[in-house]
Every structure is written in structure tokens, then in C-alpha cells.
Amino acid sequence: MGEYVKPSDLTEAEREVCRAFGTGDRLTLPLPGKTDRQVRAAVLVALLTDLYRVKITGIPALRLAGARVTGELNLESVKVSHLVELADCVFTNQVDVRMAQLAGLRLPGSRMPGLKGKNLRVDSDLVLEAGFTCDGCLDLTDGAVQGTLRLAGAVLRSPQGHALLGARLNISGSLQATAMRATGEVRLRGANVGGSIHLGGAYLSNPEGDALEASGVVVAGNLFCDSDGGRFTTEGRVVLAGARVGGDAVFSGARLRIPQALDHQVLVMPRGMADTTASLVADRIQVDGNVEMDSGFTASGSVRLPNATLGGYLRLSGSCLGEEESVVGLADQGIKPVQRVPLAFIADGIEVGGDLEARGVGGENESGAGQRNGAMCAYGQVRLVDAKVRGSASLSGVHLHGPGIDSLFADRLDIGGTLFLRHIRATGSIRLQNAHIGSTLDCTGAHLTKPRLRPDGSLKPSLDARVAMVGKDLLCTHGFLASGGVRLRLVEVNKMASFTGSVLGSKEARIALNAYGLSAQQLVVRFAEPPAGKVVLTRATAVSVTDGEFLWASSGGVELEDFRFEAITATPEVSVRTRLRWLRRVIPDFAPGPYDLFATFYRRSGHEERAVRVLLEKQRRRHWELGLAGKFWGLLQECTVGYGYRPWLAMIWIAVFWLGGGLWFDDHRMSRLDDGQNPEWNPWLVSADLLLPIINLGQDNMWAFTGTSQWVSGGLVALGWVLASTVAAGATRVLKRS
């Protein structure tokens, strides 16, 4: 405890301190008319440990202000039942209160080279505010404060070490550190706070490490790292991994900076390296209330919330994540895939009990992204893999900067309500593979450019939602633009999938729309311009389809194999001839499926003649690709029997050949085959009896056909069987349809 000072050796100021202690009065040095401020620390120790006999005329308490305390104030393992208040004092040595038990300790405005307080117990508030300055480590490891720890306005300096050590610190009340200034690490690892933590306006600087290390901290109330009392600012990482907050975690308006870029990279799927430099590390954090990173929140490094559990909503409106420099050069990779993936927001496996809100206060307006009242702005990848949001997620108007990478990587994202991507501006791809959207996926007016590249340099889809499930509508409408195209392979949409007014694909894109296996009640494919690339509708199914001319003008054609629908319409309505022209345009090689599909639709709608025209076109194209002989045979069938779909043509040809046969036999009378019979020669009945199979008109086998007439009769018999079979087949189809 230091050298004992005899009462007879006390200075006038020190004797006055002892007198004030007995009365509990506050004493301010220097005394009136004096200049001496010095008080030896040993005197204070002896006074607090009852080594001096002091006349008690009130409630004893040490209330001293303006003193210069020399020597080491050593209260290690001491139990002090009196209040200790040393305001605006200057200590020449560190204060040692390790394992001490104090009724109360107040050091407002005081200055010291450090404070040793491991296992310190304070039975009331610990007041270190109002200009309290510590030029060394403030060590409160394993301490306990039965009231509130007050550090508002405190200045903690320990550039080469820890400004505050509060690991496993137990605070019954709140931690009030508004406008605190700390140079060096502030460590609250495993601390337990019964009230709230207030860090609004605080400035924490530790550029080469962690500015705030509070992993595993437990806060019964709220965590405020916001702009209340000034803007919360850090130079260095903020670590809240495994923290538990009983109320809200508020970072509104905070500024988190990583001045020194650390070159730490790890492999990420599907390929490439990810920059792991983080401004905020909150892995596995549990917040019973809301998490607010809005209203001007900025982070120069990534924000990490993987496997976090939030009971309320997550608000990111008006935030700016990452720095523009991190994505500079990504778009200049040429035809090579990007290998370095800068990360802006990492929330894989997060669970949000309410909504995820990132749009601007004014709604979908794209201006002002990253500003206080605007939408979120992110430089680098935003990851929501395996994330679950019980409410809706709104990213409307958000700006995502990630050219050549997946700017939004959200495989297996689970949204209970609607996912709003209205008027989003994204350089890079949006990946929603295996996502589950409870209501609507709304991409109205979104602009998606500079998507990821394949190893061969071709563009990957700008929107990739393969095997996703959408509970209501999928809307890529009214100005939606995807330069890399859209992939909706095996997507299930319970109501409508619409592409009204969208612009899909580019010269570098292979496929503008891949809807292989898509299922929807209503499919609207009325594009604003012809898709630049192939449109794949193979094995897609829809109850009704609404199309337009631009679908059938896509530069890569349209794949329609096993495409199924019950009705198809266009606005304005188009003729069968127009639809057949569209099919010829997009299907350069003959495929029967699309023609059968349209014929079935027309028949189901009661338009039999339209169905026949489609089937005629089908046969016409099939025979046209069979070579010269096939073309001739097809032309012959079309002219004679309409490929069997126009049996009335066969009737006409039967009448023509009957007339021709009758005229021939009128000029070429045949002799009787049997002199025992006396049939009457009738050239018209002879022609009819030869031409009509099965039916016997009494002229068959009655006449001896010779010469050319023999060939004519044989030809009439053969033609009769062919044409009669065609008529029978046509009649059968009519009866079946009836």
C-alpha cells in the first residue's frame, strides 16, 4: 500500500482532506489563498483503510477535486465502505484497485497513466466520465459493477495495447460510453451488461486490429452504436461474434473504417477468392429486437452477420457497404472470369423474424443510394446464402456494384413474404438458386448489367433463379433489363410469370431466357424488344400464355420441345398465318412438337380449320426437308388430299377422275367379257364401278378392257382405293373429334 505517512507529517492540504473525509464534504484544491494541490497517495490509502483517527461528524466519504495525487494509489484487495470521489485530479502513477471492494468509485475529469482493476467490485456506479483521461490501460477484467459504468466523454489512450480491458466484466446497470474517445483496443469479450450499452458518438481507434472486441457479450437491453451524441466511428474492426442482445442493436449513422487493407483471402463457392477484411464481425449474434444499420451507416470493409438470429427486422436503408476502390478493375478483366471477390455484406444462414428493409425512405427512387435517406449501396458481393426472412425483403432501388461477380449471392434464400427487387441497379449477377419466395418475386424496372463470365468468356445469366419456388407472381416487367439473360430453369410459379416490357440478353449472351421446365398458371412473354439470344421454353408448362411478336423474333430462336399450354393469346390478336410465320422464323429445322401444340390448342378452342392449317404447315415443312423426291411426294399429297386433313379434296378428285373415265369410255366401247350375258354398255357407270372400291354397280367383270383402256381401268381402280381411303380416314377423324 506504499509508505505510511504519520499524521504529524501531513501537509495542510492533506490535513484538510482528512477533515473533509470525516464530514463527507467535497474539498476542492488548492485551498483558498493557497497554491498547493499535492496529496500523497499513501495518505488517501491510510485514510480509506482507517489508519487515521478522524473525527466523524457526518457520513464519511472521500470527495476530493483538483488534487495532484503523487505516488501509487494502491488499494489492492482492500474493502472500502466509503464513497471515493476524486474529480478533476491528476495521478502521477497508475491506480491499483485489483480485487478491491469499493462502495463507490467516481473519477470524473481525472487523469492517470493507467488503472489496474482486475476483479474489482464496485457496489454502485463506477464513474469515469466528463473528461476522465487514462493514458494507459484501463483494466477492469473480471470486474463487477453493481450500478452503471459511466464512461461518457472519457478519453482512453493506449496506442500500442488495450485502451479498455473489460473481458467478463459484469455490469448490473448500463454501460454509458457516449462520446468516449479510445485509442487502442476496447475489449468487452464475454462481458455481461444488465442494462444497455451506449456508444453513440464514441470514437474507437485501433487501425491495426480490433477497435471494439465484444465477442460473446451479453446485453439485456439495447446496444447503441449510433449517431446519438455524435457519429459512432471506429478505425479498426468491431467484433460482436456470438453476442446476445435482449433489445435492439442500433448502428444508425455509424462509420466503421478499416484504414489498413489486410490481404486475407479465402476460397468461396462457386469459384474465386473472397476478401475477408471486415469492418463488423457479428457471426452468430442473437438480437431479440431489431438490427438497424441505416441512416448513413457506412463500412469500408465487409459487414458479417452469418448465422445471426434477429427477432425483429433488419434495416439497411441509407447504408453504404464497402468502398468503391474494392471493385475498381473488376470490369476490366476482359474475357477472363473474376477470381477476386470483394465482399460487402455476409449474412449466410441469418434468420430474421421480421422484414429485411434496404430501400430508401422515399421508396423505389433510384437516386440517393447510399445516402442517409436513400437505398442501400454495396461495393462488393452481398451474400444471403441459406438466409431466412419470415417477413418480406425489400431491396428496391438498391445499388449493387460487383461487375463480373455475383453481386447478390442468395442461394436457398427463404422469404416468407415478397422479395422486392424493383428498380434495383446491379452490376454483376443476381443469384437466387433454390430460393423459396412465399409471395411475389418483383423485379420490375431492375437493371442488371455486367454479369459473371464463364471460363470461355461468355456471359452467365444476370438473374439466375433456377429451381426456385415463388408462391405468387414472378415479375420481370416494365423496364426490366438483364444483359446476361434470365435463367428460370425448373422454377415453380404458382400464379403469373411475366416479362412484359423487359429487355433480355446481349450480343455476348448465349441465352436470353432459359425457362426450361418452368411451370406457371400464366406466362406473359411480351418483350419490349426482340431478345438478344435464345429463348428456351422446353418442357415449360402454363395454363395460359400471352405472347407478342418480339418473342418470335429472338436472335437465337425459340426452343419449344414439350412446351405445354392450354391457351395462348396475343394483344392485339394475331392470325394463324402470322403464328405460322413466327414459327418458321424461330425454328429453322423442322420439329413437329410446336405444330402439334398449336393444333391441339386450336382444336380445344373449337377452331378446327385453324388447327388444320397448322397441321398442313407441319406436313409441308416435314416433306420439304426430305429431298427432291420427298418434296414431290409432299406436293402431290398436298394438292390431291391435303395430306389427309382435307378429305373433300379427295371427293373432288374422285369426281374429276370419274368424269375423265366416263369421257374415255364414251369414246372407247369395250366388248363383252362373256357372250352369255347381255349387259348394257354405260360408260359413266363403268367409270364409277372401277373408281369406287367395294361397291358393285353391275359393270365389274363384264367387259374386256384391252389396249390403253386396260391401263385406264387399272389406274381408276388404284386411284379409287387411294382416294377412298383418304376420305375414310378424314371421316374417322371427324367422328373422333365429335
Side-chain angles (χ1 to χ4, degrees):
M1 292 186 183
E3 183 180 354
Y4 175 69
V5 179
K6 297 178 181 180
S8 59
D9 294 335
L10 297 177
T11 64
E12 181 181 0
E14 292 170 344
R15 287 195 298 270
E16 192 62 26
V17 170
C18 293
R19 184 200 63 77
F21 176 79
T23 62
D25 295 335
R26 177 185 178 92
L27 177 66
T28 302
L29 296 179
L31 299 172
K34 305 293 183 179
T35 59
D36 185 14
R37 295 175 178 269
Q38 181 170 308
V39 176
R40 285 169 287 185
V43 174
L44 301 180
V45 173
L47 190 61
L48 294 172
T49 55
D50 297 328
L51 295 182
Y52 294 148
R53 291 183 178 180
V54 178
K55 183 179 179 180
I56 305 300
T57 60
I59 300 176
L62 178 59
R63 290 187 172 94
L64 179 61
R68 184 176 186 273
V69 182
T70 60
E72 183 181 20
L73 181 62
N74 189 341
L75 294 173
E76 183 179 3
S77 303
V78 173
K79 180 177 181 180
V80 179
S81 57
H82 312 297
L83 173 64
V84 178
E85 180 180 320
L86 301 172
D88 300 318
C89 295
V90 177
F91 294 81
T92 61
N93 296 76
Q94 289 188 344
V95 175
D96 190 349
V97 288
R98 289 175 293 177
M99 295 177 287
Q101 183 174 349
L102 309 178
L105 179 60
R106 300 176 184 174
L107 300 172
S110 294
R111 182 167 186 166
M112 61 185 63
L115 187 148
K116 302 176 183 177
K118 285 186 178 181
N119 300 107
L120 170 67
R121 298 292 184 269
V122 180
D123 294 335
S124 60
D125 291 353
L126 175 56
V127 182
L128 305 173
E129 60 183 1
F132 171 82
T133 302
C134 184
D135 290 319
C137 178
L138 174 60
D139 189 354
L140 299 175
T141 303
D142 294 311
V145 179
Q146 296 303 312
T148 296
L149 174 57
R150 300 184 180 277
L151 286 165
V155 179
L156 310 180
R157 302 192 188 103
S158 183
Q160 305 303 321
H162 298 88
L164 170 62
L165 280 176
R168 299 174 299 281
L169 175 63
N170 195 316
I171 304 172
S172 298
S174 298
L175 171 56
Q176 297 280 354
T178 304
M180 181 180 73
R181 298 291 183 267
T183 302
E185 180 181 319
V186 174
R187 177 171 293 184
L188 295 172
R189 180 185 298 171
N192 193 311
V193 181
S196 299
I197 293 180
H198 298 266
L199 288 169
Y203 176 80
L204 312 181
S205 177
N206 188 28
E208 297 182 358
D210 298 332
L212 173 61
E213 213 287 55
S215 56
V217 68
V218 178
V219 184
N222 301 315
L223 172 62
F224 294 106
C225 298
D226 54 6
S227 56
D228 184 17
R231 192 173 190 182
F232 175 74
T233 303
T234 61
E235 302 278 352
R237 290 198 312 174
V238 175
V239 181
L240 294 169
R244 298 185 62 183
V245 181
D248 299 335
V250 183
F251 292 85
S252 301
R255 181 192 292 120
L256 312 182
R257 296 186 293 202
I258 301 290
Q260 182 177 355
L262 304 177
D263 189 17
H264 292 167
Q265 294 183 338
V266 295
L267 281 171
V268 296
M269 297 300 291
R271 64 173 66 242
M273 303 291 291
D275 186 356
T276 60
T277 303
S279 292
L280 173 61
V281 178
D283 302 31
R284 305 176 306 282
I285 190 173
Q286 297 183 37
V287 180
D288 293 343
N290 307 318
V291 173
E292 301 180 15
M293 299 179 183
D294 57 351
S295 301
F297 172 85
T298 62
S300 62
S302 60
V303 173
R304 294 182 53 88
L305 289 170
N307 300 308
T309 303
L310 314 183
Y313 59 75
L314 172 60
R315 186 182 298 277
L316 297 167
S317 301
S319 64
C320 184
L321 310 179
E323 291 189 321
E324 187 174 358
E325 291 76 7
S326 65
V327 299
V328 171
L330 293 182
D332 301 329
Q333 297 289 322
I335 62 173
K336 297 181 179 179
V338 174
Q339 298 297 324
R340 180 180 62 86
V341 181
L343 301 176
F345 185 74
I346 309 164
D348 296 352
I350 191 174
E351 293 188 12
V352 182
D355 296 339
L356 190 160
E357 188 71 52
R359 66 174 182 170
V361 175
E364 304 161 2
N365 189 355
E366 63 181 83
S367 62
Q371 299 179 9
R372 185 177 183 87
N373 294 321
M376 182 184 77
C377 179
Y379 294 95
Q381 186 177 92
V382 174
R383 293 180 62 94
L384 291 169
V385 177
D386 291 308
K388 183 174 182 179
V389 180
R390 289 187 174 87
S392 296
S394 179
L395 300 177
S396 296
V398 165
H399 283 209
L400 303 179
H401 302 274
I405 66 174
D406 292 315
S407 55
L408 175 59
F409 192 1
D411 287 3
R412 299 177 298 281
L413 174 66
D414 189 346
I415 304 292
T418 298
L419 175 56
F420 293 100
L421 299 176
R422 296 173 62 90
H423 302 286
I424 191 174
R425 296 295 182 265
T427 55
S429 298
I430 291 183
R431 179 166 164 155
L432 298 170
Q433 294 182 13
N434 296 97
H436 184 278
I437 313 299
S439 183
T440 298
L441 173 56
D442 191 350
C443 300
T444 301
H447 281 200
L448 313 179
T449 59
K450 300 180 181 178
R452 286 184 57 217
L453 299 177
R454 295 185 176 89
D456 62 0
S458 61
L459 296 182
K460 285 202 168 187
S462 291
L463 174 61
D464 187 353
R466 72 179 87 171
V467 203
M469 295 183 64
V470 181
K472 193 176 179 183
D473 300 328
L474 189 157
L475 305 176
C476 298
T477 58
H478 300 104
F480 174 82
L481 183 149
S483 62
V486 175
R487 178 185 289 168
L488 299 176
R489 187 180 178 90
L490 301 176
V491 170
E492 295 183 21
V493 181
N494 285 344
K495 289 191 176 180
M496 179 175 64
S498 177
F499 294 89
T500 302
S502 63
V503 178
L504 304 183
S506 61
K507 294 181 179 179
E508 296 79 12
R510 296 175 179 174
I511 299 177
L513 173 61
N514 186 348
Y516 179 97
L518 170 72
S519 63
Q521 292 294 308
Q522 183 179 1
L523 176 61
V524 182
V525 279
R526 297 182 59 207
F527 303 111
E529 60 183 52
K534 183 185 298 183
V535 175
V536 178
L537 296 175
T538 303
R539 296 191 177 181
T541 59
V543 175
S544 66
V545 176
T546 303
D547 65 348
E549 181 179 4
F550 289 145
L551 167 65
W552 309 99
S554 60
S555 61
V558 181
E559 292 187 3
L560 297 170
E561 183 179 357
D562 291 330
F563 180 36
R564 293 288 181 267
F565 57 80
E566 295 183 10
I568 185 168
T569 59
T571 305
E573 185 62 46
V574 296
S575 63
V576 179
R577 178 180 298 178
T578 300
R579 288 207 175 276
L580 293 176
R581 185 178 72 250
W582 289 351
L583 283 177
R584 286 194 298 270
R585 180 190 302 168
V586 299
I587 307 178
D589 298 325
F590 170 72
Y595 293 96
D596 293 336
L597 180 66
F598 279 96
T600 301
F601 158 67
Y602 283 126
R603 279 177 175 168
R604 189 181 293 118
S605 303
H607 301 292
E608 180 61 30
E609 182 58 30
R610 297 181 183 180
V612 168
R613 293 187 62 178
V614 173
L615 293 173
L616 284 173
E617 178 66 16
K618 166 190 169 182
Q619 295 296 333
R620 190 178 295 120
R621 290 202 62 184
R622 184 175 73 88
H623 286 88
W624 194 253
E625 296 184 5
L626 294 179
L628 184 60
K631 292 178 182 179
F632 174 76
W633 177 241
L635 181 62
L636 181 61
Q637 289 190 77
E638 182 178 4
C639 294
T640 56
V641 295
Y643 297 107
Y645 295 106
R646 291 179 174 173
W648 53 269
L649 281 177
M651 296 296 295
I652 294 176
W653 284 109
I654 288 177
V656 169
F657 287 119
W658 169 74
L659 180 62
L663 293 175
W664 173 266
F665 290 120
D666 187 46
D667 292 336
H668 300 79
R669 182 183 180 90
M670 298 293 106
S671 60
R672 296 187 186 92
L673 183 64
D674 187 356
D675 293 336
Q677 298 183 9
N678 297 307
E680 183 177 350
W681 175 255
N682 188 328
W684 306 106
L685 286 178
V686 170
S687 178
D689 207 357
L690 291 172
L691 194 60
L692 298 177
I694 302 176
I695 300 175
N696 189 351
L697 300 179
Q699 300 295 322
D700 193 16
N701 297 322
M702 293 294 178
W703 311 101
F705 296 100
T706 59
T708 304
S709 295
Q710 188 176 10
W711 289 100
V712 172
S713 64
L716 288 175
V717 171
L719 288 171
W721 277 102
V722 171
L723 294 174
S725 299
T726 301
V727 173
T732 301
R733 280 194 292 269
V734 171
L735 292 174
K736 283 184 177 180
R737 289 193 295 271
S738 300

